[in-house]
Amino acid sequence: MALTKVTGTGLETLSDGVTITTDDNSNNLSLISTDADAASGPNLRLFRNSASPADNDQLGSIFFSGEDDGGAETNYAQIKAYAKDVTNGTEDGLIVINSMVAGTSRSRARFSFDEAVFNQDGIDLDFRVESDNNPHSFMVDAATDAILFGKAAAGLT
Protein backbone atom coordinates (compact mmCIF):
# COMPACT_ATOMS: atom_id res chain seq x y z
CA MET A 1 0.00 0.00 0.00
CA ALA A 2 1.34 3.40 -0.92
CA LEU A 3 1.32 5.95 1.86
CA THR A 4 -0.01 9.40 1.13
CA LYS A 5 1.16 12.43 3.04
CA VAL A 6 -1.70 14.75 3.94
CA THR A 7 -0.78 18.41 3.92
CA GLY A 8 -2.63 21.70 3.85
CA THR A 9 -3.92 24.51 5.97
CA GLY A 10 -6.45 23.83 8.68
CA LEU A 11 -4.92 20.46 9.57
CA GLU A 12 -3.15 21.83 12.65
CA THR A 13 -6.37 21.49 14.66
CA LEU A 14 -9.18 19.06 13.95
CA SER A 15 -12.28 19.85 15.98
CA ASP A 16 -14.40 16.81 15.27
CA GLY A 17 -13.95 13.04 15.40
CA VAL A 18 -11.39 11.63 12.97
CA THR A 19 -11.31 8.09 11.63
CA ILE A 20 -8.26 6.68 9.87
CA THR A 21 -8.90 3.43 8.00
CA THR A 22 -6.49 1.12 6.16
CA ASP A 23 -7.22 -2.05 4.24
CA ASP A 24 -4.09 -3.89 5.35
CA ASN A 25 -1.84 -4.35 8.41
CA SER A 26 0.23 -1.20 7.94
CA ASN A 27 0.37 1.46 10.64
CA ASN A 28 -2.77 3.58 10.77
CA LEU A 29 -0.99 6.43 12.53
CA SER A 30 2.73 7.09 12.97
CA LEU A 31 4.20 9.80 15.17
CA ILE A 32 7.74 10.44 13.96
CA SER A 33 10.33 12.75 15.48
CA THR A 34 13.56 13.49 13.63
CA ASP A 35 14.97 15.56 16.50
CA ALA A 36 18.50 14.45 17.41
CA ASP A 37 18.78 15.77 20.97
CA ALA A 38 18.39 13.76 24.19
CA ALA A 39 14.89 15.10 24.97
CA SER A 40 11.85 12.85 24.46
CA GLY A 41 10.11 12.52 21.17
CA PRO A 42 7.82 11.72 19.58
CA ASN A 43 5.23 12.46 22.23
CA LEU A 44 1.56 11.53 22.42
CA ARG A 45 -0.47 13.74 24.73
CA LEU A 46 -4.04 13.13 25.89
CA PHE A 47 -5.19 16.41 27.48
CA ARG A 48 -8.53 16.96 29.18
CA ASN A 49 -8.88 20.72 29.02
CA SER A 50 -11.79 21.19 31.43
CA ALA A 51 -13.08 24.56 32.60
CA SER A 52 -14.09 22.91 35.89
CA PRO A 53 -11.76 20.02 36.75
CA ALA A 54 -12.97 17.83 39.61
CA ASP A 55 -11.57 14.98 41.68
CA ASN A 56 -12.02 11.59 39.98
CA ASP A 57 -12.36 13.05 36.46
CA GLN A 58 -11.51 10.44 33.84
CA LEU A 59 -8.67 11.95 31.81
CA GLY A 60 -8.63 9.57 28.88
CA SER A 61 -8.93 6.00 27.69
CA ILE A 62 -7.23 3.75 25.22
CA PHE A 63 -9.40 0.87 24.01
CA PHE A 64 -8.14 -2.27 22.27
CA SER A 65 -11.19 -3.52 20.36
CA GLY A 66 -12.02 -6.27 17.91
CA GLU A 67 -14.90 -8.43 16.82
CA ASP A 68 -15.83 -11.64 18.57
CA ASP A 69 -16.84 -14.70 16.53
CA GLY A 70 -20.46 -13.49 16.56
CA GLY A 71 -19.50 -10.21 14.86
CA ALA A 72 -20.00 -8.04 17.96
CA GLU A 73 -17.44 -5.33 18.65
CA THR A 74 -15.67 -6.11 21.94
CA ASN A 75 -13.27 -4.03 24.03
CA TYR A 76 -10.74 -6.73 24.89
CA ALA A 77 -8.49 -4.44 26.92
CA GLN A 78 -8.36 -0.83 28.04
CA ILE A 79 -6.14 1.65 29.82
CA LYS A 80 -7.85 4.48 31.71
CA ALA A 81 -6.39 7.45 33.57
CA TYR A 82 -8.07 9.51 36.29
CA ALA A 83 -7.33 12.74 38.16
CA LYS A 84 -7.97 11.52 41.72
CA ASP A 85 -7.10 14.88 43.32
CA VAL A 86 -7.02 18.10 41.27
CA THR A 87 -5.98 20.38 44.16
CA ASN A 88 -3.10 22.56 42.98
CA GLY A 89 0.13 21.37 44.58
CA THR A 90 -1.26 18.04 45.83
CA GLU A 91 -2.45 16.47 42.56
CA ASP A 92 -2.83 12.67 42.49
CA GLY A 93 -3.37 10.40 39.50
CA LEU A 94 -4.60 6.86 38.92
CA ILE A 95 -4.07 4.55 35.96
CA VAL A 96 -6.13 1.37 35.52
CA ILE A 97 -5.46 -1.53 33.15
CA ASN A 98 -8.43 -3.82 32.42
CA SER A 99 -8.83 -6.83 30.14
CA MET A 100 -11.57 -9.30 29.31
CA VAL A 101 -11.67 -12.48 31.40
CA ALA A 102 -14.44 -14.96 30.53
CA GLY A 103 -16.52 -12.25 28.86
CA THR A 104 -16.25 -9.60 31.60
CA SER A 105 -13.90 -6.62 31.82
CA ARG A 106 -11.70 -7.13 34.89
CA SER A 107 -9.17 -4.94 36.66
CA ARG A 108 -5.70 -6.37 36.09
CA ALA A 109 -3.62 -3.54 37.57
CA ARG A 110 -4.24 -0.20 39.29
CA PHE A 111 -1.49 2.31 40.01
CA SER A 112 -2.44 5.18 42.32
CA PHE A 113 -0.58 7.72 44.43
CA ASP A 114 -0.24 5.34 47.38
CA GLU A 115 -0.35 1.76 46.07
CA ALA A 116 -0.08 -0.65 43.16
CA VAL A 117 -2.84 -3.28 43.16
CA PHE A 118 -2.99 -6.37 40.99
CA ASN A 119 -6.20 -8.40 40.59
CA GLN A 120 -8.47 -5.81 42.27
CA ASP A 121 -11.53 -7.83 41.24
CA GLY A 122 -10.31 -10.93 43.13
CA ILE A 123 -10.63 -13.38 40.22
CA ASP A 124 -8.67 -16.63 39.84
CA LEU A 125 -5.62 -14.85 38.42
CA ASP A 126 -2.09 -16.01 39.16
CA PHE A 127 0.77 -13.52 39.49
CA ARG A 128 4.31 -14.63 38.79
CA VAL A 129 7.77 -13.15 38.36
CA GLU A 130 10.34 -14.91 36.18
CA SER A 131 14.08 -14.96 36.76
CA ASP A 132 16.72 -15.84 34.14
CA ASN A 133 16.32 -19.57 34.72
CA ASN A 134 13.04 -20.03 36.59
CA PRO A 135 9.63 -19.12 35.18
CA HIS A 136 8.19 -19.25 38.73
CA SER A 137 10.82 -17.41 40.75
CA PHE A 138 8.00 -15.73 42.70
CA MET A 139 4.35 -16.68 42.31
CA VAL A 140 1.00 -15.92 43.90
CA ASP A 141 -1.33 -18.85 43.20
CA ALA A 142 -4.83 -17.35 43.23
CA ALA A 143 -6.69 -20.66 43.49
CA THR A 144 -4.88 -21.74 46.67
CA ASP A 145 -4.09 -18.28 48.13
CA ALA A 146 -0.45 -19.37 48.31
CA ILE A 147 2.80 -17.47 47.77
CA LEU A 148 5.43 -19.71 46.20
CA PHE A 149 9.14 -19.09 45.79
CA GLY A 150 11.08 -20.96 43.13
CA LYS A 151 8.33 -23.39 42.13
CA ALA A 152 4.95 -23.56 40.47
CA ALA A 153 1.77 -24.83 42.03
CA ALA A 154 0.79 -28.38 41.24
CA GLY A 155 -0.27 -28.73 37.63
CA LEU A 156 1.30 -25.48 36.41
CA THR A 157 4.25 -25.37 34.04
Side-chain angles (χ1 to χ4, degrees), residues 1-3 18-29:
M1 175 181 160
L3 297 177
V18 175
T19 300
I20 302 170
T21 303
T22 60
D23 61 359
D24 60 14
N25 293 323
S26 64
N27 294 335
N28 290 64
L29 175 65

Side-chain angles (χ1 to χ4, degrees), residues 36-47:
D37 65 17
S40 72
N43 299 307
L44 173 64
R45 179 180 183 210
L46 304 179
F47 176 50

Side-chain angles (χ1 to χ4, degrees), residues 3-72:
L3 297 177
T4 303
K5 183 176 182 180
V6 179
T7 59
T9 60
L11 295 175
E12 301 84 18
T13 301
L14 301 172
S15 59
D16 203 354
V18 175
T19 300
I20 302 170
T21 303
T22 60
D23 61 359
D24 60 14
N25 293 323
S26 64
N27 294 335
N28 290 64
L29 175 65
S30 295
L31 304 177
I32 300 170
S33 172
T34 60
D35 192 5
D37 65 17
S40 72
N43 299 307
L44 173 64
R45 179 180 183 210
L46 304 179
F47 176 50
R48 182 172 178 160
N49 189 6
S50 173
S52 56
D55 290 353
N56 300 310
D57 276 352
Q58 188 171 333
L59 300 174
S61 299
I62 301 173
F63 294 92
F64 300 88
S65 304
E67 290 185 353
D68 63 20
D69 65 1

Side-chain angles (χ1 to χ4, degrees), residues 6 18 47 58-59 68 73 75 89 95 97 110 125 138 141 143 156:
V6 179
V18 175
F47 176 50
Q58 188 171 333
L59 300 174
D68 63 20
E73 182 177 328
N75 292 328
I95 190 161
I97 301 171
R110 297 171 55 92
L125 174 68
F138 173 90
D141 184 339
L156 295 180

